[in-house]
């Protein structure tokens, strides 16, 4: 019996979504903390499974591996999603939107680690790099100097999330690309990242948000010296 294209489309979406979610659920902050210190980074600092908390808790090298892993899994999720769509002959929309969303969902709520993950910034950046490279590099050019000056990761993350949809809109208008999917995708990611940073936003308003290099508190005895 011949399989309809509609069934192939549904199958491709389900497969790409499930693989992206499972890939996104690989929390490198938790894995690195367990390998490096035989511990769980979610016990310390902000209790967040993210690169910044790894940096403050264990040091630079564990933070680097966390950054690399969380970023690359976002890239890989989109690449695999597009590959699945190409095999199934799905052309109605870019698999990057679907795979990217489920990879981010996996990072925020990882099935392997009790559904308690990170805040999604690095994974989002990996996804953006593949879905819209020009927007990625514009955001990078804008916010790396801001991070260098302020040394407040959450400020850069929240501001970047706020501007992401508008940078996307401007780039698509300049390139005369279709606007709908890119803008809605960017707006969805923006809302999710800002929501996950609501505690940071309150501390930024109160002037109590920590900077990179601030004295560490509530750290394990196995802290790295680097």
């Amino acid at each position: 019996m011949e399989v309809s294209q509609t069934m192939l489309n549904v199958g491709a979406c389900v497969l790409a979504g499930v693989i992206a979610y499972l890939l996104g659920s690989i929390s490198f902050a938790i894995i690195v903390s367990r390998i490096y210190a035989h511990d769980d980074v979610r016990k310390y600092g902000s209790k967040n499974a993210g690169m910044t908390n790894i940096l403050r808790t264990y040091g630079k090298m564990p933070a680097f591996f966390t950054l690399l892993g969380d970023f690359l899994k976002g890239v890989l999720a989109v690449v695999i999603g597009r590959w699945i769509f190409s095999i199934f002959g799905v052309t109605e929309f870019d698999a990057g939107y679907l795979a990217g969303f489920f990879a981010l969902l996996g990072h925020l709520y990882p099935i392997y680690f009790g559904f308690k993950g990170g805040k999604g910034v690095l994974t989002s950046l990996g996804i953006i790099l593949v879905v819209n490279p020009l927007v990625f590099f514009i955001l990078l050019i804008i916010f790396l100097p801001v991070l260098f000056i302020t040394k407040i990761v959450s400020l850069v993350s929240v501001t970047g999330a706020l501007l992401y949809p508008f940078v996307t809109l401007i780039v698509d208008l300049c390139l005369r690309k279709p606007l709908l999917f890119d803008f809605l995708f960017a707006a969805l990611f923006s809302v999710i990242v800002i929501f996950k940073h609501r505690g940071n936003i309150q501390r930024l308003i109160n002037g109590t948000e920590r900077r990179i290099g601030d004295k560490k508190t509530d750290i394990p005895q196995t802290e790295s010296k680097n």
Side-chain angles (χ1 to χ4, degrees):
M1 183 177 66
E2 184 178 351
V3 179
S4 70
Q5 188 58 49
T6 300
M7 292 180 64
L8 289 174
N9 291 354
V10 172
C13 289
V14 171
L15 184 59
V18 169
I19 290 176
Y21 173 76
L22 294 177
L23 186 59
S25 291
I26 303 173
S27 178
F28 283 90
I30 300 173
I31 292 171
V32 166
S33 67
R34 289 182 178 178
I35 293 174
Y36 180 79
H38 306 289
D39 208 344
D40 190 332
V41 70
R42 294 174 295 180
K43 296 178 182 177
Y44 305 103
S46 66
K47 309 296 190 292
N48 180 57
M51 185 272 293
T52 304
N53 202 27
I54 285 282
L55 175 64
R56 288 174 177 153
T57 306
Y58 300 114
K60 296 176 183 177
M61 188 58 68
F64 170 76
F65 286 115
T66 302
L67 182 154
L68 198 62
D70 282 347
F71 180 83
L72 289 178
K73 75 182 181 185
V75 172
L76 189 59
V78 175
V79 171
I80 291 175
R82 286 177 171 175
W83 177 67
I84 290 171
F85 269 37
S86 69
I87 291 175
F88 280 72
V90 181
T91 58
E92 281 77 4
F93 66 97
D94 185 355
Y97 301 116
L98 177 75
F101 172 74
F102 279 98
L104 178 60
L105 196 65
H107 178 81
L108 301 177
Y109 307 104
I111 192 172
Y112 313 123
F113 302 106
F115 301 98
K116 186 181 178 183
K119 296 180 181 178
V121 174
L122 288 171
T123 301
S124 295
L125 286 173
I127 294 162
I128 295 168
L129 174 61
V130 187
V131 171
N132 203 327
L134 183 55
V135 171
F136 171 85
F137 287 111
I138 291 173
L139 291 174
L140 212 60
I141 290 168
I142 293 173
F143 293 110
L144 278 180
V146 176
L147 178 61
F148 180 78
I149 294 168
T150 66
K151 299 187 186 303
I152 304 177
V153 175
S154 61
L155 176 62
V156 177
S157 300
V158 171
T159 309
L162 282 170
L163 290 183
Y164 174 38
F166 300 102
V167 173
T168 299
L169 186 63
I170 293 169
V171 167
D172 283 354
L173 284 171
C174 292
L175 297 179
R176 298 183 179 179
K177 291 176 58 179
L179 303 177
L180 182 61
F181 278 117
D182 272 356
F183 182 75
L184 290 179
F185 176 79
L188 176 63
F189 268 50
S190 176
V191 169
I192 291 172
V193 170
I194 291 170
F195 175 76
K196 294 297 291 185
H197 282 80
R198 59 195 184 280
N200 302 87
I201 293 170
Q202 187 60 55
R203 288 191 293 274
L204 286 168
I205 293 171
N206 296 338
T208 57
E209 184 68 320
R210 295 172 62 186
R211 301 171 184 266
I212 296 175
D214 282 354
K215 185 177 179 180
K216 304 171 189 175
T217 58
D218 186 25
I219 56 176
Q221 296 300 312
T222 53
E223 181 192 6
S224 171
K225 300 298 182 181
N226 60 353

